[in-house]
Amino acid sequence: MGRRRAVRLAAVYAAIAIAWIAFSDGLLAWIGLSADLITRYSLLKGLAFVLLTGLALFVLVDRFSRQDAERDRMYRELFEQNPNPMWSYDLDTLAFLQVNDAAVRKYGYTRDEFMGMTIADIRPTEDLGRLMANIEVVREGAEGDVDQAGVWRHRAKDGSLLWVDITSHVTRIDGRPAEVVLVRDITEAHEAREQLLRYQADLERLISERTHQLEEANAELKEATEAKSAFLATMSHELRTPLNSILGFSRILADGRAGSLNEEQSRQIGFLRTSAEHLHALIGDVLDLSRIESGRMEVHLAESTLKEIVGAADSTVGALAAAKGLQWHRGPVPDAVMRTDARMVLQILLNLLGNAVKYTQEGAVSLSVTAGPDRVTFDVSDTGGGIPDEQRDRIFEEFVRADSGASPAEGTGLGLAIAARFARLLGGTLELESTSAEGSMFRLTLPIESADPDGEAGPA
Ligand code: ADP
C-alpha cells in the first residue's frame, strides 16, 4: 500500500475514534438510554467499537493490498513480457539490476550473467566515451526525466553488433538512483539504410563514370564531325574547279564552237553535261551541308518583301512546270515585309517547288502564302504520287530518297535535309504536312523577323 494512502487511512481512523470517544455517550443518551445503562455497558461499547473498526480496517487494507498486488503484477508483466529488451541499472555503479526475457533472448547472456555485468560491458570500447558523457547528463536530471538517448551500438554475447534505439527514464530502486531502459532493435532497418546508401553511392559513381565516358565520346564525335565537315568543304571546293572546266569545255563542244559534231557526238556530249551538272549540284549541296554542320553557314539578315522573295521563285517554277506539262498555281502574296535571309528562303522554296515538279507526272503544283502578325507560312502542294508511309519520318535526313514510283527522278537526297536546316537557322520549321497517292503538301513556317545570329550561325 502506498504511504499516502496509509496516512489517509490512519487519519480517517483517528478521526472516527476521537468522534466515537467524544460523542458516543451523548449519542446513546439522545436515543433514550439512561446514564446508568450507559455506564454499565461502557466496556461493551468500547469492545464493539474496536471489533467493528478492526473489521472495517481489515476489509480496507485487504482490498488495498490486492489492488497493489494487481498493479505490481501488471507492471512486472509489462516489463517481463515486453517484446523489446528492457532493463534497469544502477546509475552509480552502472550494474544491471533487472533484465527482461527479451533482453536475455536478444543479447544471448543468461540473467545471472547480466547481473554480474555493467551496461558498459555491452558497448564497443570506442563508444564508451559517449556513453559516460550521456550518463553524466542523465545523473544531473530529475527523477522521472525521459531520455530519448537515440541510436547506439550494443554488442551481443556472440560478438555481433546490434543497432538500437534507446529510450530511458530515471527512477529510484531500493532507494538508489537507477535508470529503466527500453531498447528497440533497429539493426535490420539500419542495414537496409546502409545498403541503400551504398547503392546510391555506387549509382552516383556509375553515373559520373558514364557521364565522363559520354563526354569523351561526345568530344570525339564532335572532333570527327568537324574533321568530316572540313574534309568535305575542302574536297568540294577542290572538286569544283576541274568540274567547272568540264562544264565549260562541254558547253563549248555542244555549242559547236570547237567544230561541228555529228548526232551521236552531240548525244554523248549531252550525257556528259547532264552528269557534270548533277555532280556540280551535288558538290554544292555537300558544301552547304558541311558549312551548316560546322557552324560556318552565314546568315545575312535584311529586309525583303514577300513579293520579292516569291517572285524570284515564280518564274523558275513556272518554266519547269510548263516544260513538264503541269499547271502552276500561285496564290496571292500578302504585302508583308520580312527581315530574313532571302537567299536561304528562296533556296528552300526552290527545293520544295522543284521537288513538287520533279515528283509529279500530271496535274498541278501550287504555292499558297499566308502572313500572320509574326509568322509567314508557305504551303507547297502537288498532285504527285506522294511519299510512302515508311519513309515519312526519314525524308529530312541526308541522302534519304524515297522510292517515288515507276519513273525515278534524279536527285541527291540532300535537298530537304538542307532546306530543313536552313528553316531552323532562320528560326522556323519545315514539315511534311500530308502525303498520299493523290499528292503531298510541305509547310514552311518562318518568323517575320528572324533573330540575329551575330553574323554566324551555330551548328544545325
Ligand atoms: P532529292 O534530291 O532526291 O530530290 P530531297 O532531299 O529533295 O532529295 O528529297 C528527298 C526525297 O523525298 C526524294 O528523293 C523523294 O523521294 C522525296 N520527295 C521529296 N519531295 C517530294 C514530293 N513533292 N513528292 C514525292 N516525293 C518527294
Side-chain angles (χ1 to χ4, degrees):
M1 184 182 355
R3 165 178 267 194
R4 218 189 294 157
R5 221 188 230 185
V7 168
R8 232 176 28 224
L9 194 64
V12 171
Y13 178 78
I16 292 173
I18 290 167
W20 181 256
I21 292 167
F23 303 114
S24 59
D25 284 355
L27 184 73
L28 292 173
W30 183 68
I31 60 171
L33 263 65
S34 67
D36 185 33
L37 221 67
I38 293 170
T39 315
R40 198 173 322 148
Y41 291 114
S42 68
L43 183 63
L44 202 65
K45 186 186 71 167
L47 280 176
F49 176 80
V50 169
L51 271 178
L52 279 173
T53 53
L55 194 69
L57 274 177
F58 171 76
V59 171
L60 279 176
V61 169
D62 183 55
R63 178 178 316 155
F64 288 159
S65 55
R66 254 187 252 209
Q67 282 176 353
D68 285 353
E70 178 64 13
R71 215 179 31 228
D72 278 357
R73 192 185 59 73
M74 263 171 50
Y75 281 126
R76 238 191 348 269
E77 261 185 31
L78 209 66
F79 180 81
E80 284 299 343
Q81 282 159 31
N82 197 305
N84 294 302
M86 285 185 79
W87 56 68
S88 59
Y89 68 92
D90 189 306
L91 261 177
D92 290 331
T93 64
L94 306 188
F96 283 101
L97 298 173
Q98 300 160 302
V99 291
N100 72 356
D101 291 346
V104 170
R105 279 196 305 274
K106 178 77 63 191
Y107 287 77
Y109 294 108
T110 64
R111 207 171 289 267
D112 284 345
E113 283 172 329
F114 262 122
M115 291 307 128
M117 291 162 52
T118 70
I119 58 161
D121 296 332
I122 57 165
R123 312 289 171 140
T125 20
E126 57 272 26
D127 289 0
L128 287 178
R130 186 180 157 215
L131 172 70
M132 298 327 263
N134 192 59
I135 284 174
E136 273 316 307
V137 176
V138 172
R139 276 184 188 139
E140 281 162 18
E143 198 176 317
D145 275 2
V146 173
D147 177 24
Q148 300 284 3
V151 177
W152 292 81
R153 295 185 306 169
H154 284 177
R155 205 173 275 294
K157 189 178 179 182
D158 63 8
S160 60
L161 264 191
L162 302 171
W163 286 87
V164 291
D165 190 7
I166 300 282
T167 311
S168 58
H169 73 269
V170 179
T171 183
R172 292 189 86 77
I173 295 178
D174 295 335
R176 294 173 59 78
E179 177 138 88
V180 177
V181 176
L182 174 78
V183 177
R184 216 159 48 81
D185 181 3
I186 55 163
T187 311
E188 270 182 30
H190 180 82
E191 272 166 9
R193 190 169 163 268
E194 291 283 294
Q195 203 166 15
L196 210 68
L197 287 177
R198 273 200 301 277
Y199 280 146
Q200 196 178 335
D202 275 359
L203 206 69
E204 275 167 13
R205 189 180 45 73
L206 213 70
I207 289 175
S208 101
E209 263 175 34
R210 288 279 184 279
T211 312
H212 187 64
Q213 284 169 357
L214 268 177
E215 278 168 2
E216 275 180 359
N218 231 346
E220 280 170 22
L221 199 70
K222 194 164 169 260
E223 246 173 61
T225 311
E226 276 168 10
K228 185 192 84 179
S229 300
F231 171 77
L232 285 177
T234 321
M235 281 307 291
S236 312
H237 193 69
E238 293 301 317
L239 285 172
R240 266 187 170 173
T241 320
L243 194 59
N244 281 334
S245 306
I246 296 175
L247 274 171
F249 287 123
S250 60
R251 203 169 296 128
I252 290 173
L253 285 175
D255 291 351
R257 278 184 272 158
S260 55
L261 303 175
N262 64 29
E263 200 177 319
E264 181 54 22
Q265 285 168 333
S266 296
R267 214 164 63 87
Q268 299 294 340
I269 290 291
F271 289 145
L272 182 69
R273 279 188 67 183
T274 314
S275 298
E277 270 160 10
H278 179 66
L279 200 57
H280 193 259
L282 177 63
I283 290 170
D285 284 352
V286 170
L287 199 61
D288 276 351
L289 208 63
S290 63
R291 277 206 199 110
I292 298 169
E293 277 190 357
S294 60
R296 281 182 287 126
M297 176 59 79
E298 288 183 11
V299 180
H300 300 285
L301 298 182
E303 293 205 337
S304 321
T305 63
L306 255 181
K307 285 197 188 332
E308 279 164 357
I309 296 171
V310 175
D314 197 1
S315 50
T316 316
V317 181
L320 285 174
K324 230 180 146 181
L326 300 171
Q327 294 171 41
W328 164 231
H329 300 306
R330 183 181 57 68
V333 182
D335 268 330
V337 175
M338 291 179 81
R339 182 175 159 72
T340 190
D341 186 324
R343 184 184 54 92
M344 280 188 179
V345 183
L346 185 62
Q347 190 166 332
I348 303 172
L349 286 178
L350 282 178
N351 177 263
L352 295 177
L353 291 162
N355 277 351
V357 172
K358 192 158 61 167
Y359 298 106
T360 302
Q361 305 315 322
E362 56 184 34
V365 168
S366 349
L367 169 69
S368 99
V369 188
T370 45
D374 51 7
R375 303 196 87 72
V376 182
T377 305
F378 303 86
D379 285 341
V380 175
S381 338
D382 60 56
T383 55
I387 294 162
D389 272 352
E390 62 277 13
Q391 303 278 5
R392 284 189 66 149
D393 295 338
R394 302 191 50 227
I395 209 73
F396 293 101
E397 290 173 21
E398 304 91 354
F399 300 108
V400 171
R401 305 200 65 215
D403 177 11
S404 301
S407 53
E410 291 221 341
T412 59
L414 285 177
L416 283 180
I418 293 172
R421 282 167 167 77
F422 276 2
R424 238 175 307 164
L425 279 177
L426 296 175
T429 55
L430 173 59
E431 280 158 352
L432 172 58
E433 265 304 295
S434 65
T435 182
S436 70
E438 274 77 55
S440 313
M441 203 256 265
F442 284 85
R443 172 165 292 166
L444 167 69
T445 310
L446 293 175
I448 286 254
E449 294 218 358
S450 288
D452 199 336
D454 295 332
E456 271 217 283

